[in-house]
């Protein structure tokens, strides 16, 4: 790859069909190398004058799904690159097909395939069913669950309209499919409820099933009597107490009269992708920032969310017991972080 060819084709863009086959040497090179735009320019001999305000296309993404097909194809779908403040931030609506060293890239118009990230991808017959997304704020629809189907032969994408007890605008979840019952199961994840603050997201505490024949959702659990809170600093700075929760945090919990019953992993809450797990020491980090205590016989989950602490009461507690618990959680966060926190309840829709 030479610098001139890369610069000519590097910009990210939407498609004009469903699908539109894209032959772009720069994009295909990015898939093969896994480079990010800045490193790609530098390695090809570029400098600051080669940067533009528009995002450059990238294959290194968060929230991109990978599906292995029986014939050896690997299907990568959408995802996002970087965070909203980065000039290369972009939520993709494309499909990359790899078979051995062959690469095919398909782009789509947004009406057929909206920008999608942190979805799940489940192979059902000859389609990959894509459930959920975080997406751009303007595209989020609280109370609705985005469901799309990608045809593995034509690569066309179709929307699937579902009904019933839908999970909501969910992302970072997990799905599985039972070919005998024809049921797609969904668990975990984060649900967008509206607004732009971090309080607009709550953890999905329930499990759901989608009947692929009737396209009807059914909730298979009942957590309506559970309560979910966030403890956060009033200036919204990061808590960063994860690695202290197991040590200093556990000692403080004991002083408040609570003993840690268990440390647990990401099966409760959002499900992380393989790439994210490879980026860090999965076991060490997760087991130090998620625990359960038991209050008057009721399990209470405590999770460091990095910009807040979740407190999930997994049952019914008396109001005064809840108040005491939350005051102690504020004390815990203040002691570990040194600033005054506040408590917010996240209601389930």
């Amino acid at each position: 790859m030479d610098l001139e060819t890369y610069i000519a084709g590097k910009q990210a863009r939407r498609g004009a069909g469903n699908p539109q086959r894209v032959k772009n040497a720069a994009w295909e090179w990015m898939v093969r190398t896994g480079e990010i735009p800045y490193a790609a320019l530098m390695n090809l001999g570029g400098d600051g004058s080669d940067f533009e305000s528009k995002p450059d296309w990238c294959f290194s993404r968060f929230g991109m799904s990978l599906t292995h097909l029986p014939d050896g194809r690997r299907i990568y779908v959408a995802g996002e690159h970087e965070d909203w403040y980065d000039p290369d931030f972009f939520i993709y609506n494309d499909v990359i097909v790899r078979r051995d060293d062959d690469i095919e890239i398909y782009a789509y118009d947004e009406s057929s395939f909206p920008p999608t990230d942190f979805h799940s991808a489940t192979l059902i017959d000859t389609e990959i069913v894509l459930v959920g997304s975080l997406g751009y704020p303007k595209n989020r629809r609280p109370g609705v669950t985005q469901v799309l189907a990608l045809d593995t032969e034509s690569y066309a994408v179709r929307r699937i309209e579902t009904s019933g007890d839908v999970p909501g605008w969910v992302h970072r979840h997990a799905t599985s499919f039972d070919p005998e019952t024809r049921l797609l199961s969904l668990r975990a994840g984060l649900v967008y409820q509206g607004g732009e603050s971090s309080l607009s997201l709550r953890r999905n505490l329930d499990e759901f099933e989608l009947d692929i024949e009737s396209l009807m959702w059914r909730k298979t659990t009942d957590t309506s009597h559970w309560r979910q809170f966030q403890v956060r600093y009033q200036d919204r700075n990061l808590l960063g107490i994860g690695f202290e929760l197991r040590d200093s945090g556990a000692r403080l919990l004991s002083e408040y009269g609570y003993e840690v019953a268990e440390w647990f992993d990401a099966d409760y809450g959002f499900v992380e992708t393989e790439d994210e797990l490879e980026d860090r020491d999965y076991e060490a980090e997760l087991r130090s920032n998620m625990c359960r205590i038991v209050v008057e016989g009721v399990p209470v989950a405590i999770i460091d969310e990095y910009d807040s602490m979740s407190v999930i009461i997994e049952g019914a507690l008396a109001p005064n017991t809840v108040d005491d618990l939350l005051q102690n959680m504020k004390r815990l966060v203040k002691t570990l972080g040194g600033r005054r926190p506040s408590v917010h309840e996240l209601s389930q829709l």
Side-chain angles (χ1 to χ4, degrees), residues 189-190 202-205 223 225-231 264 268-269 291-293 295 298-303 305 309-315 317 325-326 329 346 348:
L190 298 171
R202 66 167 177 82
R203 285 182 177 255
N204 171 40
L205 306 179
T223 61
H225 57 297
W226 293 22
R227 298 179 70 182
Q228 186 171 168
F229 298 86
Q230 274 192 11
V231 184
F264 61 101
Y268 184 96
C291 70
R292 278 192 181 89
I293 60 176
V295 181
V298 175
V300 176
I302 302 172
I303 305 169
E305 310 277 13
M309 185 177 76
S310 285
V311 179
I312 301 173
I313 303 173
E314 303 174 357
L317 286 176
L325 171 66
L326 295 177
M329 294 305 101
L346 304 180
Q348 299 188 55

Side-chain angles (χ1 to χ4, degrees), residues 142-157:
V144 174
T145 302
Q146 176 178 290
V147 184
L148 307 169
L150 169 68
D151 189 295
T152 57
E153 297 303 322
S154 68
Y155 300 115
V157 172

Side-chain angles (χ1 to χ4, degrees), residues 47-345:
D47 56 35
S49 64
D50 299 314
F51 289 102
E52 301 174 357
S53 60
K54 295 181 180 180
D56 289 342
W57 197 92
C58 185
F59 185 64
S60 177
R61 307 175 185 179
F62 300 107
M64 175 173 63
S65 64
L66 166 60
T67 304
H68 294 269
L69 299 190
D71 62 8
R73 282 177 293 168
R74 289 167 288 163
I75 311 293
Y76 298 85
V77 177
E80 69 174 43
H81 179 68
E82 290 296 351
D83 293 317
W84 61 269
Y85 51 80
D86 190 279
D88 286 320
F89 172 68
F90 196 75
I91 302 179
Y92 291 83
N93 61 330
D94 59 7
V95 172
I96 297 100
V97 183
R98 302 194 70 173
R99 188 192 328 238
D100 298 326
D101 198 44
D102 292 333
I103 297 172
E104 298 176 18
I105 301 176
Y106 296 90
Y108 300 80
D109 61 88
E110 292 188 64
S111 62
S112 301
F113 184 6
T116 296
D117 54 350
F118 301 106
H119 54 285
S120 62
T122 308
L123 181 62
I124 301 178
D125 303 328
T126 61
E127 293 184 313
I128 299 174
V129 176
L130 310 170
V131 177
S133 175
L134 178 59
Y136 293 110
K138 66 179 182 180
N139 294 337
R140 299 171 191 168
R141 300 168 60 195
V144 174
T145 302
Q146 176 178 290
V147 184
L148 307 169
L150 169 68
D151 189 295
T152 57
E153 297 303 322
S154 68
Y155 300 115
V157 172
R158 66 182 179 94
R159 292 178 182 264
I160 299 178
E161 298 299 328
T162 62
S163 58
D165 202 353
V166 301
W169 196 261
V170 65
H171 66 288
R172 298 185 83 107
H173 54 284
T175 53
S176 59
F177 178 67
D178 186 333
E180 294 186 4
T181 62
R182 306 291 292 174
L183 294 174
L184 181 147
S185 300
L186 181 149
R187 64 174 177 80
L190 298 171
V191 180
Y192 174 74
Q193 301 191 113
E196 298 183 3
S197 74
S198 62
L199 295 175
S200 64
L201 297 176
R202 66 167 177 82
R203 285 182 177 255
N204 171 40
L205 306 179
D206 283 299
E207 297 183 8
F208 299 82
E209 290 179 344
L210 174 65
D211 187 313
I212 292 299
E213 306 305 324
S214 67
L215 301 180
M216 179 81 70
W217 286 100
R218 180 175 71 92
K219 186 163 65 172
T220 60
T221 54
D222 180 13
T223 61
S224 58
H225 57 297
W226 293 22
R227 298 179 70 182
Q228 186 171 168
F229 298 86
Q230 274 192 11
V231 184
R232 58 187 304 109
Y233 296 130
Q234 295 185 11
D235 56 9
R236 297 187 180 182
N237 287 337
L238 296 182
L239 292 181
I241 64 173
F243 291 103
E244 294 186 63
L245 189 57
R246 182 152 195 155
D247 296 320
S248 302
R251 289 194 294 271
L252 288 169
L253 288 170
S254 180
E255 290 179 11
Y256 304 155
Y258 311 121
E259 297 299 330
V260 174
E262 65 171 335
W263 299 92
F264 61 101
D265 62 21
D267 282 341
Y268 184 96
F270 62 78
V271 175
E272 296 180 279
T273 67
E274 292 181 7
D275 287 343
E276 289 171 317
L277 298 183
E278 290 175 358
D279 283 344
R280 56 181 174 74
D281 186 343
Y282 170 68
E283 292 293 334
E285 183 166 345
L286 286 184
R287 290 186 178 179
S288 66
N289 70 359
M290 300 183 178
C291 70
R292 278 192 181 89
I293 60 176
V294 178
V295 181
E296 296 185 359
V298 175
V300 176
I302 302 172
I303 305 169
D304 175 35
E305 310 277 13
Y306 301 100
D307 66 346
S308 63
M309 185 177 76
S310 285
V311 179
I312 301 173
I313 303 173
E314 303 174 357
L317 286 176
N320 63 319
T321 303
V322 173
D323 291 341
D324 290 342
L325 171 66
L326 295 177
Q327 287 300 317
N328 284 327
M329 294 305 101
K330 287 174 64 176
R331 289 171 60 197
L332 174 72
V333 169
K334 186 176 187 302
T335 301
L336 293 178
R339 293 197 299 277
R340 187 175 58 161
S342 57
V343 177
H344 309 265
E345 182 164 12

